[in-house]
């Protein structure tokens, strides 16, 4: 009886050991089946986003964009009604033309006086010759000299008056030209375009609606150059610097990852989640600093996706 019980106990111990080994093997194979990824920090991808607002007021005649569409910087994607601005410009052009038509031609208006002065000077030479031959009197010479002086004063006065008129007309003309330039600037603002090349994230209005100055029209993001915003602890900061090249992995889920070359483009000067009073070393290690890592997107990475950073 003891022998049988001893054999039974021995068998149970063997079965128990075998079961433990099987369980351990399952755990080992299970852990080996999953890929273990090492990373220094994680974060999400973001892009440079710009909200484009209206520069003019008026009815939107066309607005040819849709969310998700890629647009090029400077391309016209819409236009706001310009009729009233165009009519104002036409009126100002007529005004400046009318003002310029009143600009005196100084050369022509003083030509007659100059001719009179030239004749009087010729006459004075003739009288001087006659006076030397005792064929004229000194009074005749004095009268001609006086007439030349009077004509000279009249010429100076006329030139001064004409110059003042020209200056006044030029000033009026310049003022109108400035108004025309302002209208042309407003006309240029009626053309809706994107300041950057990117993808439309949101569209806030439609053709036919009334645009108001500073009213948001759409939001665009530069998706060719994305940034992974991650957070580093204080001890990690000693291993990074601006311009440093690092590895960035975009996480697509189910162990699907794509590797990109990244450059640290920004490091925050201030910590986040900082306790009011730091008492212990563990508290100091809870300090985190935001960093941005720039990557050139190949079209696969999307805004808001998770990413991993490896120094």
């Amino acid at each position: 009886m003891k022998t049988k019980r001893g054999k039974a106990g021995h068998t149970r111990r063997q079965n128990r050991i075998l079961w433990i080994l099987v369980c351990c093997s399952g755990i080992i194979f299970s852990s080996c089946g999953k890929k273990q990824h090492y990373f220094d920090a994680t974060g999400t991808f973001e892009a440079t986003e710009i909200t484009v607002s209206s520069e003019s007021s008026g009815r939107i005649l066309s607005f040819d964009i849709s969310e998700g569409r890629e647009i090029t910087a400077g391309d016209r994607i819409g236009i706001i009604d310009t009729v009233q601005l165009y009519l104002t410009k036409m009126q100002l052009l007529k005004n400046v033309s009318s003002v310029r038509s009143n600009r005196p031609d100084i050369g022509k208006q003083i030509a007659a006086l100059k001719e009179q002065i030239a004749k009087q000077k010729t006459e004075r030479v003739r009288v001087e010759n006659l006076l030397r031959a005792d064929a004229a009197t000194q009074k005749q010479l004095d009268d001609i000299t006086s007439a030349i002086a009077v004509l000279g004063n009249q010429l100076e006065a006329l030139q001064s008056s004409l110059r003042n008129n020209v200056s006044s007309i030029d000033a009026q003309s310049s003022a109108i030209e400035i108004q025309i330039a302002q209208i042309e600037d407003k006309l240029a603002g009626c053309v809706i375009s994107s300041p950057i090349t990117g993808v439309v994230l949101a569209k806030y209005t439609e053709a036919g609606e009334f645009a108001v100055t500073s009213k948001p029209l759409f939001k665009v993001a530069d998706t060719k150059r994305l940034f992974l915003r991650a957070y580093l602890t204080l001890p990690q900061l000693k291993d990074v610097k601006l311009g440093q090249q690092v590895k960035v992995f975009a996480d697509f889920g189910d162990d699907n990852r794509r590797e990109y070359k990244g450059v640290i483009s920004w490091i925050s000067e201030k910590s986040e989640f900082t306790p009011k009073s730091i008492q212990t070393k563990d508290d100091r290690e809870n300090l985190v600093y935001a960093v941005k890592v720039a990557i050139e997107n190949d079209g696969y990475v999307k805004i808001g996706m998770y990413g991993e950073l490896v120094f």
Side-chain angles (χ1 to χ4, degrees), residues 163-189:
R163 282 194 296 267
N164 290 336
N165 287 340
V166 169
S167 297
S168 177
I169 291 172
D170 287 345
Q172 294 179 40
S173 177
S174 296
I176 299 175
E177 288 174 348
I178 292 173
Q179 294 179 36
I180 293 173
Q182 291 173 336
I183 294 296
E184 289 177 343
D185 181 66
K186 290 182 178 180
L187 285 169

PDB file of all heavy atoms in Angstrom, residues 163-189:
ATOM      1  N   ARG A 163       4.557 127.779 -60.993  1.00  0.00           N
ATOM      2  CA  ARG A 163       5.162 126.699 -60.214  1.00  0.00           C
ATOM      3  C   ARG A 163       4.271 126.302 -59.032  1.00  0.00           C
ATOM      4  O   ARG A 163       4.132 125.119 -58.710  1.00  0.00           O
ATOM      5  CB  ARG A 163       6.553 127.117 -59.725  1.00  0.00           C
ATOM      6  CG  ARG A 163       7.638 127.028 -60.791  1.00  0.00           C
ATOM      7  CD  ARG A 163       9.024 127.106 -60.178  1.00  0.00           C
ATOM      8  NE  ARG A 163       9.260 128.395 -59.537  1.00  0.00           N
ATOM      9  CZ  ARG A 163       9.837 129.443 -60.143  1.00  0.00           C
ATOM     10  NH1 ARG A 163      10.214 129.340 -61.407  1.00  0.00           N
ATOM     11  NH2 ARG A 163      10.024 130.562 -59.487  1.00  0.00           N
ATOM     12  N   ASN A 164       3.670 127.303 -58.402  1.00  0.00           N
ATOM     13  CA  ASN A 164       2.755 127.008 -57.289  1.00  0.00           C
ATOM     14  C   ASN A 164       1.534 126.212 -57.775  1.00  0.00           C
ATOM     15  O   ASN A 164       1.077 125.273 -57.104  1.00  0.00           O
ATOM     16  CB  ASN A 164       2.305 128.293 -56.609  1.00  0.00           C
ATOM     17  CG  ASN A 164       3.426 128.962 -55.838  1.00  0.00           C
ATOM     18  OD1 ASN A 164       4.383 128.294 -55.433  1.00  0.00           O
ATOM     19  ND2 ASN A 164       3.329 130.272 -55.641  1.00  0.00           N
ATOM     20  N   ASN A 165       1.020 126.611 -58.946  1.00  0.00           N
ATOM     21  CA  ASN A 165      -0.127 125.884 -59.506  1.00  0.00           C
ATOM     22  C   ASN A 165       0.250 124.432 -59.832  1.00  0.00           C
ATOM     23  O   ASN A 165      -0.520 123.506 -59.563  1.00  0.00           O
ATOM     24  CB  ASN A 165      -0.634 126.584 -60.766  1.00  0.00           C
ATOM     25  CG  ASN A 165      -1.374 127.864 -60.460  1.00  0.00           C
ATOM     26  OD1 ASN A 165      -1.837 128.063 -59.333  1.00  0.00           O
ATOM     27  ND2 ASN A 165      -1.503 128.744 -61.449  1.00  0.00           N
ATOM     28  N   VAL A 166       1.428 124.279 -60.405  1.00  0.00           N
ATOM     29  CA  VAL A 166       1.885 122.934 -60.756  1.00  0.00           C
ATOM     30  C   VAL A 166       2.040 122.076 -59.500  1.00  0.00           C
ATOM     31  O   VAL A 166       1.623 120.913 -59.461  1.00  0.00           O
ATOM     32  CB  VAL A 166       3.208 123.002 -61.541  1.00  0.00           C
ATOM     33  CG1 VAL A 166       3.830 121.597 -61.663  1.00  0.00           C
ATOM     34  CG2 VAL A 166       2.980 123.595 -62.922  1.00  0.00           C
ATOM     35  N   SER A 167       2.632 122.660 -58.440  1.00  0.00           N
ATOM     36  CA  SER A 167       2.823 121.923 -57.193  1.00  0.00           C
ATOM     37  C   SER A 167       1.482 121.520 -56.588  1.00  0.00           C
ATOM     38  O   SER A 167       1.306 120.395 -56.105  1.00  0.00           O
ATOM     39  CB  SER A 167       3.626 122.756 -56.192  1.00  0.00           C
ATOM     40  OG  SER A 167       4.925 123.029 -56.678  1.00  0.00           O
ATOM     41  N   SER A 168       0.516 122.447 -56.622  1.00  0.00           N
ATOM     42  CA  SER A 168      -0.804 122.167 -56.069  1.00  0.00           C
ATOM     43  C   SER A 168      -1.508 121.066 -56.857  1.00  0.00           C
ATOM     44  O   SER A 168      -2.104 120.137 -56.279  1.00  0.00           O
ATOM     45  CB  SER A 168      -1.657 123.434 -56.074  1.00  0.00           C
ATOM     46  OG  SER A 168      -2.962 123.166 -55.616  1.00  0.00           O
ATOM     47  N   ILE A 169      -1.431 121.156 -58.175  1.00  0.00           N
ATOM     48  CA  ILE A 169      -2.075 120.136 -59.017  1.00  0.00           C
ATOM     49  C   ILE A 169      -1.397 118.784 -58.862  1.00  0.00           C
ATOM     50  O   ILE A 169      -2.056 117.738 -58.792  1.00  0.00           O
ATOM     51  CB  ILE A 169      -2.074 120.601 -60.485  1.00  0.00           C
ATOM     52  CG1 ILE A 169      -3.032 121.795 -60.649  1.00  0.00           C
ATOM     53  CG2 ILE A 169      -2.455 119.464 -61.420  1.00  0.00           C
ATOM     54  CD1 ILE A 169      -2.961 122.449 -62.009  1.00  0.00           C
ATOM     55  N   ASP A 170      -0.040 118.801 -58.762  1.00  0.00           N
ATOM     56  CA  ASP A 170       0.681 117.541 -58.564  1.00  0.00           C
ATOM     57  C   ASP A 170       0.303 116.901 -57.227  1.00  0.00           C
ATOM     58  O   ASP A 170       0.185 115.678 -57.127  1.00  0.00           O
ATOM     59  CB  ASP A 170       2.184 117.787 -58.627  1.00  0.00           C
ATOM     60  CG  ASP A 170       2.669 118.059 -60.047  1.00  0.00           C
ATOM     61  OD1 ASP A 170       1.900 117.785 -60.994  1.00  0.00           O
ATOM     62  OD2 ASP A 170       3.814 118.545 -60.199  1.00  0.00           O
ATOM     63  N   ALA A 171       0.114 117.745 -56.195  1.00  0.00           N
ATOM     64  CA  ALA A 171      -0.274 117.222 -54.882  1.00  0.00           C
ATOM     65  C   ALA A 171      -1.672 116.600 -54.941  1.00  0.00           C
ATOM     66  O   ALA A 171      -1.910 115.516 -54.387  1.00  0.00           O
ATOM     67  CB  ALA A 171      -0.237 118.333 -53.841  1.00  0.00           C
ATOM     68  N   GLN A 172      -2.595 117.285 -55.631  1.00  0.00           N
ATOM     69  CA  GLN A 172      -3.947 116.729 -55.791  1.00  0.00           C
ATOM     70  C   GLN A 172      -3.903 115.421 -56.568  1.00  0.00           C
ATOM     71  O   GLN A 172      -4.581 114.442 -56.211  1.00  0.00           O
ATOM     72  CB  GLN A 172      -4.841 117.730 -56.508  1.00  0.00           C
ATOM     73  CG  GLN A 172      -5.123 119.005 -55.729  1.00  0.00           C
ATOM     74  CD  GLN A 172      -5.994 119.967 -56.520  1.00  0.00           C
ATOM     75  OE1 GLN A 172      -6.930 119.570 -57.193  1.00  0.00           O
ATOM     76  NE2 GLN A 172      -5.671 121.247 -56.440  1.00  0.00           N
ATOM     77  N   SER A 173      -3.094 115.421 -57.604  1.00  0.00           N
ATOM     78  CA  SER A 173      -2.974 114.222 -58.421  1.00  0.00           C
ATOM     79  C   SER A 173      -2.384 113.061 -57.618  1.00  0.00           C
ATOM     80  O   SER A 173      -2.858 111.922 -57.696  1.00  0.00           O
ATOM     81  CB  SER A 173      -2.095 114.512 -59.639  1.00  0.00           C
ATOM     82  OG  SER A 173      -1.886 113.364 -60.416  1.00  0.00           O
ATOM     83  N   SER A 174      -1.373 113.350 -56.806  1.00  0.00           N
ATOM     84  CA  SER A 174      -0.750 112.310 -55.991  1.00  0.00           C
ATOM     85  C   SER A 174      -1.727 111.747 -54.960  1.00  0.00           C
ATOM     86  O   SER A 174      -1.753 110.541 -54.701  1.00  0.00           O
ATOM     87  CB  SER A 174       0.486 112.860 -55.274  1.00  0.00           C
ATOM     88  OG  SER A 174       1.480 113.251 -56.204  1.00  0.00           O
ATOM     89  N   ALA A 175      -2.546 112.639 -54.375  1.00  0.00           N
ATOM     90  CA  ALA A 175      -3.536 112.189 -53.395  1.00  0.00           C
ATOM     91  C   ALA A 175      -4.538 111.221 -54.034  1.00  0.00           C
ATOM     92  O   ALA A 175      -4.903 110.204 -53.437  1.00  0.00           O
ATOM     93  CB  ALA A 175      -4.255 113.393 -52.788  1.00  0.00           C
ATOM     94  N   ILE A 176      -4.956 111.568 -55.255  1.00  0.00           N
ATOM     95  CA  ILE A 176      -5.907 110.673 -55.948  1.00  0.00           C
ATOM     96  C   ILE A 176      -5.236 109.367 -56.329  1.00  0.00           C
ATOM     97  O   ILE A 176      -5.844 108.290 -56.251  1.00  0.00           O
ATOM     98  CB  ILE A 176      -6.483 111.380 -57.189  1.00  0.00           C
ATOM     99  CG1 ILE A 176      -7.251 112.642 -56.777  1.00  0.00           C
ATOM    100  CG2 ILE A 176      -7.414 110.441 -57.963  1.00  0.00           C
ATOM    101  CD1 ILE A 176      -7.758 113.471 -57.946  1.00  0.00           C
ATOM    102  N   GLU A 177      -3.960 109.437 -56.726  1.00  0.00           N
ATOM    103  CA  GLU A 177      -3.232 108.221 -57.083  1.00  0.00           C
ATOM    104  C   GLU A 177      -3.089 107.294 -55.875  1.00  0.00           C
ATOM    105  O   GLU A 177      -3.128 106.068 -56.011  1.00  0.00           O
ATOM    106  CB  GLU A 177      -1.865 108.579 -57.650  1.00  0.00           C
ATOM    107  CG  GLU A 177      -1.939 109.180 -59.055  1.00  0.00           C
ATOM    108  CD  GLU A 177      -0.585 109.666 -59.536  1.00  0.00           C
ATOM    109  OE1 GLU A 177       0.344 109.740 -58.695  1.00  0.00           O
ATOM    110  OE2 GLU A 177      -0.455 109.969 -60.732  1.00  0.00           O
ATOM    111  N   ILE A 178      -2.915 107.883 -54.686  1.00  0.00           N
ATOM    112  CA  ILE A 178      -2.844 107.071 -53.463  1.00  0.00           C
ATOM    113  C   ILE A 178      -4.179 106.375 -53.228  1.00  0.00           C
ATOM    114  O   ILE A 178      -4.226 105.191 -52.856  1.00  0.00           O
ATOM    115  CB  ILE A 178      -2.456 107.943 -52.260  1.00  0.00           C
ATOM    116  CG1 ILE A 178      -1.014 108.421 -52.394  1.00  0.00           C
ATOM    117  CG2 ILE A 178      -2.649 107.195 -50.951  1.00  0.00           C
ATOM    118  CD1 ILE A 178      -0.578 109.412 -51.344  1.00  0.00           C
ATOM    119  N   GLN A 179      -5.286 107.103 -53.466  1.00  0.00           N
ATOM    120  CA  GLN A 179      -6.612 106.490 -53.323  1.00  0.00           C
ATOM    121  C   GLN A 179      -6.788 105.345 -54.323  1.00  0.00           C
ATOM    122  O   GLN A 179      -7.372 104.303 -53.989  1.00  0.00           O
ATOM    123  CB  GLN A 179      -7.691 107.544 -53.525  1.00  0.00           C
ATOM    124  CG  GLN A 179      -7.716 108.619 -52.447  1.00  0.00           C
ATOM    125  CD  GLN A 179      -8.789 109.660 -52.707  1.00  0.00           C
ATOM    126  OE1 GLN A 179      -9.877 109.355 -53.195  1.00  0.00           O
ATOM    127  NE2 GLN A 179      -8.484 110.905 -52.382  1.00  0.00           N
ATOM    128  N   ILE A 180      -6.273 105.539 -55.529  1.00  0.00           N
ATOM    129  CA  ILE A 180      -6.355 104.473 -56.536  1.00  0.00           C
ATOM    130  C   ILE A 180      -5.558 103.254 -56.085  1.00  0.00           C
ATOM    131  O   ILE A 180      -6.004 102.114 -56.231  1.00  0.00           O
ATOM    132  CB  ILE A 180      -5.846 104.989 -57.897  1.00  0.00           C
ATOM    133  CG1 ILE A 180      -6.787 106.065 -58.448  1.00  0.00           C
ATOM    134  CG2 ILE A 180      -5.717 103.839 -58.896  1.00  0.00           C
ATOM    135  CD1 ILE A 180      -6.283 106.746 -59.706  1.00  0.00           C
ATOM    136  N   ALA A 181      -4.365 103.493 -55.512  1.00  0.00           N
ATOM    137  CA  ALA A 181      -3.545 102.386 -55.021  1.00  0.00           C
ATOM    138  C   ALA A 181      -4.266 101.639 -53.896  1.00  0.00           C
ATOM    139  O   ALA A 181      -4.186 100.401 -53.806  1.00  0.00           O
ATOM    140  CB  ALA A 181      -2.191 102.893 -54.536  1.00  0.00           C
ATOM    141  N   GLN A 182      -4.971 102.387 -53.037  1.00  0.00           N
ATOM    142  CA  GLN A 182      -5.729 101.742 -51.966  1.00  0.00           C
ATOM    143  C   GLN A 182      -6.846 100.865 -52.534  1.00  0.00           C
ATOM    144  O   GLN A 182      -7.091  99.752 -52.047  1.00  0.00           O
ATOM    145  CB  GLN A 182      -6.305 102.803 -51.031  1.00  0.00           C
ATOM    146  CG  GLN A 182      -5.246 103.525 -50.202  1.00  0.00           C
ATOM    147  CD  GLN A 182      -5.831 104.681 -49.407  1.00  0.00           C
ATOM    148  OE1 GLN A 182      -6.872 105.243 -49.769  1.00  0.00           O
ATOM    149  NE2 GLN A 182      -5.165 105.036 -48.318  1.00  0.00           N
ATOM    150  N   ILE A 183      -7.514 101.379 -53.566  1.00  0.00           N
ATOM    151  CA  ILE A 183      -8.575 100.592 -54.196  1.00  0.00           C
ATOM    152  C   ILE A 183      -8.009  99.344 -54.853  1.00  0.00           C
ATOM    153  O   ILE A 183      -8.577  98.246 -54.763  1.00  0.00           O
ATOM    154  CB  ILE A 183      -9.335 101.444 -55.232  1.00  0.00           C
ATOM    155  CG1 ILE A 183     -10.087 102.585 -54.537  1.00  0.00           C
ATOM    156  CG2 ILE A 183     -10.299 100.587 -56.028  1.00  0.00           C
ATOM    157  CD1 ILE A 183     -11.166 102.124 -53.589  1.00  0.00           C
ATOM    158  N   GLU A 184      -6.856  99.483 -55.513  1.00  0.00           N
ATOM    159  CA  GLU A 184      -6.229  98.325 -56.154  1.00  0.00           C
ATOM    160  C   GLU A 184      -5.825  97.277 -55.113  1.00  0.00           C
ATOM    161  O   GLU A 184      -5.927  96.071 -55.369  1.00  0.00           O
ATOM    162  CB  GLU A 184      -5.014  98.775 -56.967  1.00  0.00           C
ATOM    163  CG  GLU A 184      -5.390  99.556 -58.227  1.00  0.00           C
ATOM    164  CD  GLU A 184      -4.177 100.059 -58.976  1.00  0.00           C
ATOM    165  OE1 GLU A 184      -3.082 100.091 -58.363  1.00  0.00           O
ATOM    166  OE2 GLU A 184      -4.314 100.418 -60.163  1.00  0.00           O
ATOM    167  N   ASP A 185      -5.379  97.750 -53.945  1.00  0.00           N
ATOM    168  CA  ASP A 185      -5.045  96.814 -52.870  1.00  0.00           C
ATOM    169  C   ASP A 185      -6.295  96.079 -52.386  1.00  0.00           C
ATOM    170  O   ASP A 185      -6.245  94.871 -52.120  1.00  0.00           O
ATOM    171  CB  ASP A 185      -4.392  97.568 -51.709  1.00  0.00           C
ATOM    172  CG  ASP A 185      -3.990  96.641 -50.572  1.00  0.00           C
ATOM    173  OD1 ASP A 185      -3.094  95.816 -50.778  1.00  0.00           O
ATOM    174  OD2 ASP A 185      -4.586  96.748 -49.476  1.00  0.00           O
ATOM    175  N   LYS A 186      -7.408  96.797 -52.280  1.00  0.00           N
ATOM    176  CA  LYS A 186      -8.667  96.157 -51.884  1.00  0.00           C
ATOM    177  C   LYS A 186      -9.143  95.175 -52.957  1.00  0.00           C
ATOM    178  O   LYS A 186      -9.686  94.116 -52.634  1.00  0.00           O
ATOM    179  CB  LYS A 186      -9.733  97.216 -51.615  1.00  0.00           C
ATOM    180  CG  LYS A 186      -9.482  98.041 -50.355  1.00  0.00           C
ATOM    181  CD  LYS A 186     -10.594  99.041 -50.127  1.00  0.00           C
ATOM    182  CE  LYS A 186     -10.369  99.833 -48.853  1.00  0.00           C
ATOM    183  NZ  LYS A 186     -11.445 100.826 -48.612  1.00  0.00           N
ATOM    184  N   LEU A 187      -8.935  95.547 -54.223  1.00  0.00           N
ATOM    185  CA  LEU A 187      -9.304  94.632 -55.306  1.00  0.00           C
ATOM    186  C   LEU A 187      -8.480  93.350 -55.236  1.00  0.00           C
ATOM    187  O   LEU A 187      -9.003  92.253 -55.451  1.00  0.00           O
ATOM    188  CB  LEU A 187      -9.104  95.322 -56.660  1.00  0.00           C
ATOM    189  CG  LEU A 187     -10.143  96.375 -57.045  1.00  0.00           C
ATOM    190  CD1 LEU A 187      -9.680  97.158 -58.269  1.00  0.00           C
ATOM    191  CD2 LEU A 187     -11.498  95.722 -57.324  1.00  0.00           C
ATOM    192  N   ALA A 188      -7.184  93.504 -54.917  1.00  0.00           N
ATOM    193  CA  ALA A 188      -6.333  92.315 -54.775  1.00  0.00           C
ATOM    194  C   ALA A 188      -6.808  91.460 -53.603  1.00  0.00           C
ATOM    195  O   ALA A 188      -6.726  90.229 -53.642  1.00  0.00           O
ATOM    196  CB  ALA A 188      -4.876  92.721 -54.572  1.00  0.00           C
ATOM    197  N   GLY A 189      -7.329  92.131 -52.543  1.00  0.00           N
ATOM    198  CA  GLY A 189      -7.834  91.391 -51.388  1.00  0.00           C
ATOM    199  C   GLY A 189      -9.121  90.647 -51.669  1.00  0.00           C
ATOM    200  O   GLY A 189      -9.526  89.791 -50.873  1.00  0.00           O
TER     201      GLY A 189
END
